[in-house]
Amino acid sequence: MPAFDAIVIGTGQAGPTLAHRLAGAGMRVAIIERHRFGGTCVNTGCTPTKTLVASAYAARLAHRAGEYGVSISGDISVDMKKVKARKDYVLGFSTRGVERGLRSNPKITVYQGHAHFSSPGSVAVGSETLSAPKIFLNVGGRASIPPIPGLEQVSYFTNSSLLDIEAVPKHLIIVGGSYIGVEFAQVFRRFGAKVSIIEAAPRLIAREDADTSAAIANILGREDIALYLRAKDLTVAKRGEDIIASLEANGVSSEIAGSHLLIAVGRRPNTDDLGLDKAGVATDAKGFIGVNDRLETNVPGIWALGDCNGKGAFTHTAFNDGEIVAANLIDGKARRVSDRIVAFNLYTDPPLGRIGMTEAEVRKSGRKALMATMAMENVSRAFEKGETLGFMKILVDAETRQVVGASILGVGGDEVIHVLLTLMYAKAPYEVMQRAVYIHPTVSELLPSMLGRLKPL
Ligand SMILES: Cc1cc2nc3c(=O)[nH]c(=O)nc-3n(C[C@H](O)[C@H](O)[C@H](O)COP(=O)(O)OP(=O)(O)OC[C@H]3O[C@@H](n4cnc5c(N)ncnc54)[C@H](O)[C@@H]3O)c2cc1C
């Protein structure tokens, strides 16, 4: 049985960097990957979707060129084969880079195949069984497929398979109006598909504040994306070439005839086939591996990092998990998951940058708070760019005067939000930002003036 100091299962966003850190500390490390190096982010998540978002933005801008005084003669069309080739080119760099980096490290042995526990200290992969006193699980997740009547009779796409289509769908029906569904909806609409979103909740991205959901619905509505909210009794069937979705939405019976169907209702952890019972590792009812603040599972010597522990659902949180484990294990520094501030972007156009608490969460917490909002049409940079949709919102604790949450739905919002995130990590009172002189014309320059508008919540 090959013996190592550490085994890492999965080459997602935490595993490879952690493997290099462990190897750098002198350990002999085995890393196991059953599919593509780099995991979801690189192959079927962030990287490919953001290349599509970029292609979709180019298509949209081409259609809007006249608004900027630019004439384009001839038809504007989207070549999905070229869009896909560009996507594959970009992600190829990352996936090859991850694999090359691991294989070229003399302290790391790469295994390809499905890994599962044989016992708390040993893992089987193919015909081999490896052992190590330290095992790190970075197995990520996959699209969850709900039990929709008729689904087994139609062909449907997930976030992975939809990335490989080579023609623009005539009519894409998307089941799920949260982050992934909304990004795909705008992208494919901009490529020229008719798009319908079916969402069971009363609003899109229902974890966000109601005003954010409404603004996103407005943005999608302006691009003629059809929304079916409060959807229930959904069934799907094949009729000729079409996929028919029958449902009740907002109390009205509807039938949608589409050419393609995307299921985007959430993600589930890849923990059902890991043999966790052989190791005694505990999960919650949804299959997420239970961990403490240092990402240790209930079994000494086994850690869980990234999406599979349910402590985050993002590349940056998975990567940070690796940093936390390395800091505690190698650097002798006490780093904790609970020190992390919620932060993520929704890559619609305009994008939504989100940090900390929502307004609804602040209200629910009962703390004394202040809030300021500003429409993007009051931001001169947005006006100059002709991209005035959206709004900004900042929430401040009335006693500590520290920012507790913010959202920027608007041009550049995905980048600008980091100014506020840094202020939060610094635990600085908002007055620090108010006195700073920001560069004109930018979206960021409006943040100090917004703080002058803070009012009790
Ligand atoms: C469509 C989409 C868009 C996204 N966009 C963004 C975004 O813009 N920004 C962002 O921050 N996040 C985004 N995410 C989320 C992000 O991709 C994930 O949070 C991130 O990839 C999680 O990384 P991870 O390391 O936990 O796992 P993963 O990246 O999923 O990696 C897990 C790896 O483990 C391997 N594996 C699993 N089980 C086994 C086993 N038993 N044996 C061997 N190998 C195994 C898998 O093959 C995989 O390679 C997006 C996700 C999706 C689906």
Side-chain angles (χ1 to χ4, degrees):
M1 186 189 294
F4 293 89
D5 298 311
I7 297 171
V8 179
I9 304 179
T11 65
Q13 293 306 304
T17 313
L18 179 62
H20 286 294
R21 288 293 321 272
L22 298 168
M27 295 186 211
R28 285 165 301 122
V29 182
I31 191 161
I32 310 167
E33 174 54 57
R34 70 177 175 190
H35 194 35
R36 289 194 258 171
F37 288 85
T40 306
C41 170
V42 167
N43 296 292
T44 56
C46 333
T47 304
T49 54
K50 267 78 252 183
T51 67
L52 297 197
V53 166
S55 293
Y57 182 75
R60 174 78 171 161
L61 206 55
H63 282 289
R64 292 185 61 204
E67 293 175 36
Y68 297 87
V70 177
S71 312
I72 298 179
S73 48
D75 284 347
I76 297 162
S77 62
V78 171
D79 182 337
M80 270 315 284
K81 282 198 174 130
K82 287 191 179 158
V83 169
K84 178 179 174 304
R86 178 177 181 276
K87 180 263 297 177
D88 290 336
Y89 173 76
V90 174
L91 74 80
F93 276 97
S94 304
T95 189
R96 282 193 303 273
V98 172
E99 180 173 5
R100 203 181 308 123
L102 291 169
R103 290 197 191 278
S104 61
N105 189 323
K107 300 287 271 181
I108 298 177
T109 308
V110 176
Y111 289 86
Q112 280 186 272
H114 172 75
H116 57 96
F117 280 101
S118 321
S119 73
S122 66
V123 170
V125 51
S127 56
E128 301 209 63
T129 301
L130 323 177
S131 70
K134 293 184 176 59
I135 298 178
F136 303 91
L137 309 175
N138 177 219
V139 292
R142 61 186 186 273
S144 64
I145 306 299
I148 300 170
L151 196 59
E152 62 294 342
Q153 275 129 47
V154 300
S155 63
Y156 62 87
F157 291 85
T158 64
N159 65 282
S160 307
S161 49
L162 192 63
L163 292 167
D164 286 329
I165 63 166
E166 297 198 329
V168 177
K170 222 166 108 205
H171 183 175
L172 176 63
I173 302 173
I174 301 178
V175 180
S178 199
Y179 308 98
I180 292 177
V182 159
E183 282 185 12
F184 273 113
Q186 193 182 43
V187 161
F188 277 92
R189 180 72 194 119
R190 289 178 171 200
F191 288 162
K194 189 175 170 195
V195 175
S196 302
I197 301 179
I198 298 172
E199 168 56 51
R203 53 193 174 85
L204 298 175
I205 50 166
R207 281 196 286 273
E208 300 304 319
D209 284 332
D211 50 3
T212 306
S213 294
I216 292 286
N218 174 45
I219 288 163
L220 299 189
R222 294 164 76 105
E223 296 187 29
D224 289 329
I225 292 170
L227 304 182
Y228 295 83
L229 303 175
R230 284 196 181 82
K232 58 180 190 177
D233 303 332
L234 172 66
T235 61
V236 292
K238 188 109 183 102
R239 188 191 295 156
E241 290 297 296
D242 287 341
I243 295 167
I244 308 294
S246 307
L247 66 151
E248 188 187 305
N250 276 328
V252 179
S253 293
S254 305
E255 198 180 88
I256 313 166
S259 58
H260 294 65
L261 177 67
L262 168 67
I263 304 293
V265 297
R267 311 267 305 159
R268 55 177 290 196
N270 290 326
T271 53
D272 47 335
D273 53 3
L274 249 185
L276 290 177
D277 51 328
K278 298 257 173 56
V281 174
T283 63
D284 70 10
K286 291 183 174 164
F288 291 104
I289 299 171
V291 288
N292 63 16
D293 225 5
R294 293 180 303 280
L295 302 162
E296 296 158 331
T297 68
N298 62 311
V299 178
I302 303 181
W303 288 255
L305 304 86
D307 284 12
C308 68
N309 66 25
K311 298 272 182 195
F314 304 103
T315 284
H316 43 280
T317 49
F319 187 82
N320 179 239
D321 281 0
E323 291 181 316
I324 290 168
V325 170
N328 284 297
L329 215 58
I330 301 168
D331 305 333
K333 291 193 177 132
R335 287 185 68 178
R336 300 175 306 179
V337 182
S338 53
D339 290 334
R340 189 156 73 204
I341 297 168
V342 171
F344 60 89
N345 285 330
L346 168 71
Y347 289 91
T348 43
D349 173 33
L352 168 69
R354 259 272 290 116
I355 55 171
M357 301 167 88
T358 60
E359 179 189 337
E361 286 166 347
V362 173
R363 285 185 188 280
K364 204 169 157 207
S365 74
R367 67 164 79 193
K368 278 196 189 157
L370 310 170
M371 186 174 85
T373 59
M374 181 180 279
M376 288 304 289
E377 56 197 13
N378 297 326
V379 177
S380 60
R381 188 75 202 283
F383 201 29
E384 289 146 14
K385 285 185 150 188
E387 302 192 32
T388 52
L389 295 177
F391 70 105
M392 305 191 272
K393 182 190 284 189
I394 304 179
L395 294 140
V396 168
D397 184 293
E399 274 152 25
T400 65
R401 311 189 79 70
Q402 291 171 12
V403 173
V404 291
S407 60
I408 301 181
L409 174 61
V411 59
D414 50 342
E415 300 288 349
V416 177
I417 198 75
H418 290 89
V419 183
L420 290 159
L421 184 59
T422 306
L423 197 67
M424 282 181 81
Y425 273 110
K427 296 190 174 15
Y430 72 83
E431 286 89 349
V432 170
M433 174 177 274
Q434 234 180 348
R435 288 187 205 121
V437 180
Y438 280 18
I439 298 164
H440 173 77
T442 57
V443 175
S444 305
E445 73 174 325
L446 269 297
L447 298 177
S449 18
M450 261 182 90
L451 292 167
R453 300 177 170 199
L454 285 170
K455 299 237 162 49
L457 195 61

